[in-house]
Amino acid sequence: MSDSIRDIVIVGGGTAGWITAGLLAARYQGLHGEFAVSVTLVESPNIPTIGVGEGTWPTMRGTLKSIGVRETDFIKECDAVFKQGAKFCKWVTGAEDDSYYHPLVLPEAYLETNLVNKWLAGDRSIPFAHAVCAQADACEQGLAPKTITSPEFDGALNYAYHLNAGKFSTFLTKHCVENLGVKHILADVQDVAQDDSGNVLAVNTEQAGAVSGDLFIDCTGFKSLLLGQAMGVEFKSCNDVLFVDTALAVRAPYAEGKNKIASHTISTAQEAGWIWDIGLSTRRGIGHVFSSQHIAEDRAREQLANYLSTQGANIDELEVRKIPINSGHRQLFWKNNVVAIGLSAGFLEPLEASAIVLVEMSAQMLSEQMPATKSAMPMVAKRFNETFLYRWARIIDFLKLHYCISKRSDSEFWLDNVNPETIPDSLQELLELWRYQSPWQGDFVHRDEVFPSASYQYVLYGMGFETQASFYGQSDQEAMLAEKSLTVNQQKIAILASRLPEHRDLINKIHKYGLQRL
């Protein structure tokens, strides 16, 4: 049994480290004796978390459930609220009334029929997302996705969360240590000890000496202490595709008398980037993500200040944090006995909140396919690398999609984004295909896609993309089902509007009464 993997060491805390620790510890908590697996997390007491990853995916509900967290406790302690998607403003033409939604639910009857052809052939007076699902209207009306009587992690509409990333990390730390048995070591890593084959034997720390293990998980952030520095895995930049490289972030209070919480992320396009606006229960997280190659920082700050002023906030009264963004990822994510998860693996702009979901997916796959022995590790590592190289590539394509079909021509930033030389071949091929047929479930080769074909539909047709009517048309049965589905959706919108509470009201009730336990 000397070849078995018994001791897992996570280097680095924050959201990535503690989500990984939680999923691994929950998975192996019931093992004892010769089959016991220990999870140790080593983090510096002197390095603060970046704390701007405030948007999640619906996968977070499953993650929290699997590690034994109550949704009520999470909402109360992490300033969390519900997220039902994203609203993109001024991404198509830049006009004041230019907006569309990317909701978190599938179009009505999505497993039975494709509603795109029916919508394209109609008068299109109802925007695509509003025509095919009820969630865009729920967001527009400021409604929550569930009621106070809904059980924890369940709702009338699919949802994710907006959260305070700093508080979330603290919340996870407490839960993992007290309830899941994760060993927590506060210490600064000085160097990494490796054997002749390059495997990591231990991390040597200033305060706790050597911490040895069989498998090491690198959650050390941008510096990628283990995979990047010790293992020498190079970084693959995608700055030639995704241009934004800087963020200016603030935490803004709600304006007096205006404390409604949007149940969606608001992304408003600017001259050379975009501004995010995320409402929490106690404040808002707002930031300008921009390309320093296309706009000066002073001008970007001015645009952020102008946006804040429309929301009743003064930038001069707020702390502005500057965050560099180097879009890209490591060429491998698992080498020898080191796996990188989180920022140490890579980072892409937060347009679709992909950072935390990649942490969840990585930690989930690791926990499910943990090699039983060191001898089996190369095979698992190969599968892990293939999976996540594919997933990172698809995320890059999807993010670029938001830019490359824009009709904006008011700056070099937008003109450069529609230049075919900056669009990946894989995305260009899909765009050519979708000129003749709309995205559908067979367009991608993997069963578990990061973004399903429905997400591509919401962005394409929200941005006015044109797909030619099918030469073959629709059968009478397909046409009738599509017509019925669109009618059912409008009925569902009316029903939910009468039953779902206002978002702030529900959050207040959860803080006061809590949600029903599952």
Side-chain angles (χ1 to χ4, degrees):
M1 299 296 290
S2 60
D3 191 38
S4 62
I5 297 173
R6 299 287 189 83
D7 297 307
I8 302 172
V9 178
I10 301 168
V11 183
T15 301
W18 287 108
I19 284 179
T20 303
L23 286 171
L24 289 173
R27 170 69 175 81
Y28 298 105
Q29 189 178 32
L31 302 179
H32 303 286
E34 63 178 316
F35 301 107
V37 174
S38 70
V39 179
T40 300
L41 188 144
V42 181
E43 67 175 329
S44 170
N46 304 309
I47 300 177
T49 57
I50 292 178
V52 295
E54 298 186 325
T56 68
W57 281 23
T59 49
M60 182 57 70
R61 289 152 65 191
T63 295
L64 295 176
K65 285 172 64 176
S66 67
I67 66 175
V69 165
R70 279 205 65 195
E71 188 175 36
T72 297
D73 295 337
F74 161 70
I75 289 172
K76 287 181 177 181
E77 296 186 36
C78 300
D79 302 338
V81 299
F82 300 109
K83 172 188 172 182
Q84 300 189 74
K87 182 178 183 179
F88 295 92
C89 304
K90 301 185 179 182
W91 280 79
V92 184
T93 65
E96 290 299 321
D97 62 349
D98 165 16
S99 68
Y100 72 94
Y101 276 95
H102 175 196
L104 297 181
V105 298
L106 295 174
E108 186 68 27
Y110 191 70
L111 300 181
E112 303 170 62
T113 186
N114 187 344
L115 296 179
V116 170
N117 290 335
K118 183 68 175 178
W119 180 80
L120 287 173
D123 62 11
R124 307 192 202 180
S125 60
I126 301 177
F128 180 73
H130 296 263
V132 303
C133 80
Q135 195 156 48
D137 279 85
C139 290
E140 198 71 9
Q141 296 176 50
L143 303 178
K146 61 193 293 179
T147 69
I148 191 62
T149 58
S150 302
E152 292 196 322
F153 303 114
D154 192 16
L157 293 167
N158 194 23
Y159 65 87
Y161 306 100
H162 287 144
L163 53 84
N164 182 317
K167 289 188 176 182
F168 186 44
S169 179
T170 301
F171 175 77
L172 289 173
T173 302
K174 184 173 184 292
H175 178 77
C176 289
V177 172
E178 295 183 0
N179 300 311
L180 297 177
V182 175
K183 184 178 179 181
H184 187 199
I185 298 176
L186 287 170
D188 293 291
V189 175
Q190 295 177 307
D191 58 67
V192 179
Q194 297 172 264
D195 65 17
D196 294 338
S197 300
N199 292 303
V200 173
L201 299 173
V203 288
N204 296 315
T205 71
E206 180 181 346
Q207 296 92 333
V211 181
S212 59
D214 302 310
L215 177 68
F216 288 81
I217 303 172
D218 187 348
C219 296
T220 60
F222 290 126
K223 64 182 179 181
S224 194
L225 180 64
L226 301 183
L227 190 74
Q229 295 184 27
M231 307 300 292
V233 176
E234 294 185 1
F235 183 84
K236 181 181 179 182
S237 173
C238 67
N239 286 333
D240 58 333
V241 176
L242 300 174
F243 305 144
V244 298
D245 58 10
T246 311
L248 299 176
V250 301
R251 293 169 178 170
Y254 283 99
E256 186 175 351
K258 297 181 179 180
N259 66 346
K260 287 189 174 182
I261 308 172
S263 63
H264 52 278
T265 303
I266 303 169
S267 300
T268 305
Q270 302 293 310
E271 175 187 341
W274 52 277
I275 289 175
W276 81 75
D277 190 338
I278 290 176
L280 304 182
S281 59
T282 56
R283 61 162 173 84
R284 292 162 73 176
I286 299 174
H288 188 183
V289 183
F290 62 93
S291 166
S292 65
Q293 301 300 309
H294 293 87
I295 191 174
E297 184 178 330
D298 288 347
R299 173 66 175 154
R301 181 186 172 96
E302 178 185 345
Q303 292 176 356
L304 176 59
N306 291 338
Y307 182 90
L308 288 166
S309 67
T310 66
Q311 308 301 313
N314 185 344
I315 195 171
D316 294 329
E317 298 173 356
L318 304 173
E319 178 189 355
V320 180
R321 291 179 295 159
K322 181 179 178 180
I323 304 166
I325 296 173
N326 186 16
S327 289
H329 56 80
R330 297 287 159 184
Q331 293 185 341
L332 294 174
F333 307 105
W334 190 329
K335 183 176 181 181
N336 290 27
N337 67 334
V338 172
V339 187
I341 294 180
L343 299 178
S344 57
F347 183 70
L348 301 172
E349 61 178 273
L351 184 63
E352 285 283 1
S354 57
I356 293 180
V357 77
L358 279 167
V359 169
E360 293 180 89
M361 289 179 169
S362 300
Q364 189 70 40
M365 184 173 181
L366 180 61
S367 68
E368 291 175 352
Q369 301 196 22
M370 175 69 68
T373 65
K374 295 173 186 176
S375 301
M377 195 177 293
M379 287 79 80
V380 177
K382 181 176 183 290
R383 296 171 66 185
F384 188 94
N385 285 325
E386 289 174 349
T387 297
F388 283 94
L389 284 170
Y390 177 84
R391 285 176 171 170
W392 279 84
R394 296 292 71 73
I395 293 174
I396 292 169
D397 281 356
F398 190 65
L399 296 182
K400 184 65 173 183
L401 178 68
H402 296 68
Y403 295 98
C404 71
I405 60 173
S406 173
K407 299 177 178 64
R408 291 188 62 153
S409 59
D410 52 306
S411 72
E412 290 300 315
F413 175 81
W414 293 101
L415 292 173
D416 287 346
N417 265 298
V418 299
N419 183 342
E421 294 182 1
T422 72
I423 304 173
D425 291 343
S426 53
L427 178 57
Q428 291 196 53
E429 290 175 2
L430 288 170
L431 287 171
E432 185 63 24
L433 172 69
W434 293 332
R435 296 188 190 282
Y436 305 100
Q437 61 191 60
S438 63
W440 197 229
Q441 298 165 30
D443 288 354
F444 301 96
V445 299
H446 282 225
R447 180 175 60 86
D448 296 324
E449 286 291 330
V450 180
F451 293 99
S453 53
S455 291
Y456 286 87
Q457 288 188 0
Y458 285 130
V459 175
L460 285 171
Y461 304 114
M463 297 189 71
F465 186 83
E466 291 292 338
T467 298
Q468 293 182 17
S470 171
F471 172 80
Y472 302 104
Q474 283 186 304
S475 68
D476 291 342
Q477 184 178 3
E478 288 175 321
M480 289 177 60
L481 178 56
E483 183 67 37
K484 177 183 177 182
S485 300
L486 293 176
T487 301
V488 166
N489 185 60
Q490 294 306 308
Q491 295 170 344
K492 186 178 293 185
I493 289 172
I495 292 171
L496 291 176
S498 67
R499 295 180 180 177
L500 292 175
E502 193 271 332
H503 192 198
R504 168 70 75 177
D505 288 345
L506 177 60
I507 295 299
N508 288 343
K509 285 183 178 179
I510 292 173
H511 279 262
K512 186 175 182 179
Y513 304 111
L515 291 163
Q516 294 186 48
R517 289 179 180 269
L518 286 174

